[in-house]
């Protein structure tokens, strides 16, 4: 069973635990002996099952269970054991006809177990990993406060006093109870106060991942880390103006979209270059009030060209402009998009493609070369600006390259039918000895790119996205027949595709190691409390930055505790995939800039820090990033003049 299923099962069992403990408490208070006994037995059984599910999840990784093992379960097991001891014997004798099974102590203890069960579940959903002293103290004091209040309701002091008047020995019982009430109350208030106080301690602003801290190196500003002013020998300068503006765009089907565009087009103008060319793009903003930038997704530009507002530049407001300049040294399929309020801007159309061909034309033989950004507008998949199906003619034997780019925030399921093919490149980087495959489906992460190559057969080839048979792309050879598109194809696992090769560093021997546990929870996002998408329990910009030094080999462990997919994306560097769920990558070295961490998965990746700057490191589901799932990787000695209180808070 997958970790995701165990996570779901554990949530269900935890919820059942809450229900059964409350049922036991309420029926006991109502002195319904039989139902109370049944509910108590059920609660105990469910609690034991919970111990098993948590144990299994612990085997999948400490991150999945830390708060359950250290707080939720111990609290529940202790309260539950107390409840069984206090309520159990009376219930048993009541079942045999002696007494009514109820007692104030029994009711209070069973309900306390219910509070503990509920508190554990709430901590898992609102706080998660890592558990802090603050959370533990506040939770325990809330459960104890619940127990004390319940005791007052179940055995009110007024009744006690009346009883004490009747029986003199009752007085002692009452003063004992008062003592418990007062000291218990004081302890609860103290613990809650301490927990709350601790939660206000400022968080560290940077983590070092086991490496040295900041050095006294002379600082360099990201504003000075700009691209080269000239092309490589033989290269040319590719100049382009991109004007961000609102426009009504008419799709081939006739449908009109109120879009945000570069130059009035969606996608924006396709940028192509030959390796070594200088790309110079003048970005102007006509009327996007929020401001815009250009981020070169997957392209390892110098940091000052990266387009991260509040980090590498200020957002470009209406009437303003910014010039990006960098040398196209990296070959492959990339894309560009705004990085300011990008959950809105990219979604509405502020994106385009960037393709760099090798110099010397190793790929001149490619006669059909299609760049296919896949974007969803109002529920309709639009491929390279067309909704509905696109048809192409390709003479049999023609080499074909399809460059798929996912510009959405969710993954797409891609099927290429009618021909065997190879996945030549992932995220712009060529794979080593990619073998021919057919009858497989491809899972393309948000932000990711796949280059598929094949020789055109006589018959037709179909490219189908998200099982939409009416849309997509058709390539026709001589034979006009339709390609058969199969259902339920197995997914091509890129961790086992292609052949291994040497990689430029030893990832086992990393200089720094950072763990990012992805989840949902209550956290501050841009100064406001929110039900956020969190990294290690925090939201942007309170997630500590990651410090690296130039030349470091850096390793990331990315764990997904949530039930949503998180396409993880580091700017400025491709990362090498080491393993998924502990299973090493055994195929071609896989260098990516975005990798999908699906629910319950744990990924290990590594990279060498060779591109100084301050780089965004975030989930490329852009609404998630906007809701907190975003942090920064800082090179030692690099500073930014753009991180004022304003710019820094609206990076996405
Ligand atoms: Cu394509 Cu920070 O993004
Ligand atoms: Cu996400």
């Amino acid at each position: 069973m997958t970790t995701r299923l165990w996570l779901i099962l554990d949530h269900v069992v935890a919820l059942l635990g809450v229900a059964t403990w409350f049922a036991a408490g309420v029926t006991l208070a109502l002195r319904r002996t039989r139902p109370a006994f049944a509910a108590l037995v059920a609660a105990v059984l469910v609690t034991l099952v919970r111990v098993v599910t948590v144990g299994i999840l612990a085997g999948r990784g400490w991150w999945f269970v830390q708060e359950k093992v250290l707080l939720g379960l111990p609290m529940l097991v202790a309260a539950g054991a107390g409840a069984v001891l206090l309520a159990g014997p009376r219930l048993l004798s009541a079942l045999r006809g002696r007494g009514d099974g109820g007692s104030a102590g029994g009711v209070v203890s069973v309900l306390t177990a219910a509070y503990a069960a509920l508190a554990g579940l709430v901590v898992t959903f609102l706080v998660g990993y890592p558990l802090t002293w603050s959370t533990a103290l506040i939770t325990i004091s809330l459960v104890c406060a619940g127990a004390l209040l319940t005791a007052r309701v179940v055995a009110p002091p007024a009744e006690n006093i009346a009883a004490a008047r009747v029986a003199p020995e009752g007085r002692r019982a009452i003063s004992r109870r008062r003592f418990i009430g007062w000291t218990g109350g004081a302890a609860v208030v103290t613990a809650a106060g301490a927990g709350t106080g601790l939660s206000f301690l400022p968080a560290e602003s940077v983590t070092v991942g086991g490496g040295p801290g900041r050095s006294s190196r002379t600082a360099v500003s990201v504003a000075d880390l700009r691209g080269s002013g000239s092309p490589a020998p033989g290269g040319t300068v590719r100049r382009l103006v991109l004007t961000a503006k609102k426009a009504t765009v008419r799709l081939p089907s006739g449908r009109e979209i109120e879009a945000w565009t570069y130059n009035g087009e969606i996608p924006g103008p396709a940028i192509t270059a030959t390796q070594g060319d200088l790309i110079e793009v003048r970005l102007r903003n006509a009327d996007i009030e929020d401001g815009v930038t250009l981020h070169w997704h997957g392209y390892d530009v110098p940091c000052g060209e990266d387009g991260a507002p509040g980090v590498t530049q200020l957002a470009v407001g209406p009437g303003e402009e910014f010039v990006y300049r960098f040398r196209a040294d990296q070959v492959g399929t990339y894309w560009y998009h705004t990085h300011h309020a990008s959950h809105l801007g990219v979604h509405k159309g502020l994106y385009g493609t960037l393709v760099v061909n090798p110099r010397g034309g190793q790929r001149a033989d490619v006669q059909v070369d299609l760049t296919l950004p896949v974007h969803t507008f109002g529920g309709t998949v639009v491929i390279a600006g067309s909704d509905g199906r696109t048809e192409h003619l390709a003479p049999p034997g023609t080499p074909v390259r399809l460059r798929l780019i996912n510009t959405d925030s969710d993954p797409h399921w891609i099927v290429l039918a009618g021909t065997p093919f190879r996945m030549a490149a992932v995220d712009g980087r060529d794979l080593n000895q990619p073998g021919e495959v057919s009858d497989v489906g491809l899972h393309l992460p948000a932000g990711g790119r796949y280059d598929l190559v094949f020789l055109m057969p006589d018959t037709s080839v179909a490219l189908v996205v998200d099982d939409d048979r009416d849309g997509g792309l058709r390539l026709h050879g001589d034979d006009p027949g339709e390609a058969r598109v199969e259902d339920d194809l197995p997914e091509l696992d890129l961790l086992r595709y292609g052949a291994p090769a040497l990689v430029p560093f030893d990832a086992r021997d990393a200089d720094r190691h950072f763990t990012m546990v992805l989840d949902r929870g209550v956290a501050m996002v841009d100064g406001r409390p929110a039900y956020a998408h969190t990294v290690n329990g925090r939201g942007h910009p309170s997630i500590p930055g990651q410090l690296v030094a130039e030349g470091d080999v850096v390793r990331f462990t990315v764990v997904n505790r949530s039930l949503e997919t998180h396409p993880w994306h580091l700017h400025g560097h491709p990362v090498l995939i080491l393993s998924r769920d502990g299973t090493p990558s055994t195929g071609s070295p896989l260098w990516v800039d975005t990798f999908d961490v699906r629910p319950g998965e744990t990924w290990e990746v590594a990279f060498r820090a060779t591109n100084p700057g301050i780089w965004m490191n975030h989930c490329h589901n852009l609404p998630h990033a906007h809701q907190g799932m975003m942090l920064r990787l800082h090179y030692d000695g690099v500073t930014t003049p753009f991180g004022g209180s304003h710019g820094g808070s609206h990076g996405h």
Side-chain angles (χ1 to χ4, degrees):
M1 224 160 94
T2 63
T3 307
R4 172 175 168 272
L5 286 179
W6 281 113
L7 279 171
I8 294 173
L9 185 65
D10 183 63
H11 292 328
V12 171
V13 174
L15 200 62
L16 261 180
V18 175
T20 47
W21 280 110
F22 269 107
V26 170
T27 45
L28 193 61
L30 297 174
R31 307 199 187 277
R32 307 268 316 271
T33 311
R34 273 172 195 287
F37 185 76
L40 187 64
V41 171
V44 170
L45 289 178
V46 172
T47 303
L48 293 176
V49 172
R50 185 83 205 292
V51 173
V52 175
T53 58
V54 169
I56 288 167
L57 274 178
R60 303 296 167 98
W62 178 236
W63 315 283
F64 298 113
V65 296
Q66 186 222 25
E67 87 290 0
K68 305 176 181 94
V69 170
L70 295 184
L71 180 69
L73 268 193
M75 225 170 36
L76 176 57
V77 168
V84 168
L85 290 177
L86 281 170
R90 282 201 186 220
L91 269 175
L92 274 179
S93 48
L95 282 180
R96 293 198 199 96
R98 270 171 283 136
D100 60 4
S103 73
V107 172
V108 172
S109 63
V110 174
L111 281 174
T112 301
Y115 303 152
L118 180 62
L121 192 64
V122 168
V123 167
T124 288
F125 275 94
L126 298 193
V127 186
Y129 179 94
L131 180 68
T132 59
W133 278 107
S134 160
T135 303
L137 286 171
I138 292 175
T139 309
I140 292 169
S141 50
L142 283 177
V143 171
C144 294
L148 290 172
L149 285 176
T150 309
R152 272 187 91 92
V153 173
V154 174
E159 249 173 54
N160 293 335
I161 289 160
R165 290 218 184 87
V166 182
E169 71 276 16
R171 283 180 190 282
R172 247 172 292 131
I174 283 174
S175 57
R176 196 173 60 229
R177 234 180 235 172
R178 280 215 176 119
F179 179 74
I180 293 176
W182 279 108
T183 49
V188 163
V189 169
T190 315
T196 314
L198 282 177
S199 75
F200 282 104
L201 284 185
E204 47 183 356
S205 65
V206 70
T207 48
V208 299
R214 286 193 192 285
S215 70
S216 52
R217 281 173 55 133
T218 40
V220 47
S221 163
V222 287
D224 297 326
L225 296 170
R226 301 301 303 268
S228 153
S230 56
T236 60
V237 182
R238 308 257 173 178
R239 277 203 187 84
L240 190 72
V241 178
L242 292 184
T243 304
K245 60 178 174 197
K246 294 179 186 159
T248 305
V249 176
R250 205 186 171 84
L251 295 176
S253 71
R255 199 176 131 206
E256 293 193 332
I257 304 174
E258 297 306 322
W260 290 3
T261 69
Y262 291 114
N263 294 4
E265 307 164 21
I266 43 172
I271 302 179
T272 53
T274 303
Q275 189 176 25
D277 287 353
L278 184 82
I279 295 179
E280 186 185 291
V281 179
R282 184 172 298 267
L283 168 67
R284 297 202 168 116
N285 182 354
D287 58 0
I288 308 294
E289 291 90 9
D290 286 9
V292 292
T293 65
L294 282 176
H295 167 61
W296 309 97
H297 184 113
Y299 219 73
D300 305 327
V301 297
C303 192
E305 313 290 344
D306 192 48
V311 183
T312 67
Q313 67 173 100
L314 294 175
V316 178
E320 297 175 352
E321 64 170 42
F322 188 94
V323 179
Y324 298 87
R325 192 178 290 118
F326 57 90
R327 224 166 69 182
D329 289 324
Q330 236 170 288
V331 170
T333 308
Y334 302 89
W335 62 299
Y336 62 84
H337 61 80
T338 183
H339 213 285
H340 188 67
S342 56
H343 63 293
L344 296 175
V346 177
H347 182 67
K348 285 173 179 278
L350 288 170
Y351 70 93
T353 62
L354 167 64
V355 171
V356 178
N357 290 302
R359 181 162 298 276
Q362 289 106 299
R363 281 178 199 160
D365 60 335
V366 173
Q367 292 176 15
V368 175
D369 187 333
L370 301 173
T371 303
L372 305 168
V374 179
H375 200 83
T376 306
F377 288 100
T380 306
V381 169
V382 175
I383 303 177
S386 320
D387 53 347
R389 186 187 285 197
T390 338
E391 321 257 351
H392 285 267
L393 278 178
T398 313
V400 179
R401 177 176 288 250
L402 304 180
R403 303 170 184 266
L404 290 155
I405 308 176
N406 184 351
T407 60
D408 278 322
S409 276
D410 289 302
H412 283 295
W413 179 249
I414 311 276
V415 171
L416 182 65
T419 178
F421 63 95
R422 299 172 199 274
M423 172 98 72
V426 172
D427 287 2
R429 285 104 184 155
D430 285 348
L431 297 186
N432 185 46
Q433 297 177 30
E436 208 164 63
V437 290
S438 50
D439 293 325
V440 289
L442 308 172
H443 172 104
L444 180 59
R449 284 91 59 215
Y450 290 159
D451 283 25
L452 311 182
V453 299
F454 55 92
L455 287 182
M456 188 62 202
D458 298 340
T459 46
S460 312
V461 171
L463 179 83
V464 173
V465 177
D466 300 338
D467 294 322
D468 174 18
R469 308 287 167 101
D470 302 325
L473 184 83
R474 296 296 181 281
L475 294 169
H476 301 289
D478 290 342
D479 196 319
E482 274 280 304
R484 250 179 79 96
V485 183
E486 307 283 342
D487 288 311
D488 301 321
L489 291 173
E491 182 184 334
L492 177 67
D493 184 0
L494 293 177
L495 270 67
R496 288 183 290 175
Y497 180 66
L502 275 181
V503 295
F505 55 77
D506 185 358
R508 283 165 305 177
D509 187 30
D511 301 291
R512 309 199 186 235
H513 180 192
F514 300 99
T515 299
M516 291 174 271
V517 178
L518 315 180
D519 203 353
R520 291 215 76 166
V522 172
M524 299 295 281
V525 177
D526 290 328
R528 264 177 254 121
Y531 188 51
H533 287 276
T534 57
V535 180
N536 300 335
R538 295 184 173 270
H540 171 80
S542 329
I543 304 167
Q546 297 163 331
L547 184 76
V548 301
E550 198 171 346
D552 282 351
V553 172
V554 184
R555 193 166 157 152
F556 284 164
T557 301
V558 189
V559 183
N560 187 354
R561 266 180 59 121
S562 78
L563 298 176
E564 286 161 89
T565 293
H566 300 294
W568 201 259
H569 173 56
L570 170 66
H571 286 204
H573 312 71
V575 300
L576 175 69
I577 304 296
L578 304 177
S579 69
R580 176 188 55 215
D581 294 337
T583 308
S585 165
T586 52
S588 161
L590 192 54
W591 293 93
V592 299
D593 45 69
T594 317
F595 52 100
D596 256 350
V597 187
R598 297 185 225 183
E601 286 183 347
T602 301
W603 288 65
E604 298 272 347
V605 305
F607 61 97
R608 195 192 283 281
T610 50
N611 195 2
I614 303 176
W615 301 99
M616 303 306 298
N617 189 15
H618 64 93
C619 177
H620 216 282
N621 180 312
L622 300 174
H624 292 182
H626 176 66
Q627 292 163 64
M629 206 169 251
M630 170 163 64
L631 64 147
R632 294 174 189 180
L633 179 97
H634 296 253
Y635 276 66
D636 186 26
V638 180
T639 60
T640 172
F642 305 113
S645 54
H646 177 74
S649 58
H650 293 281
H652 257 281

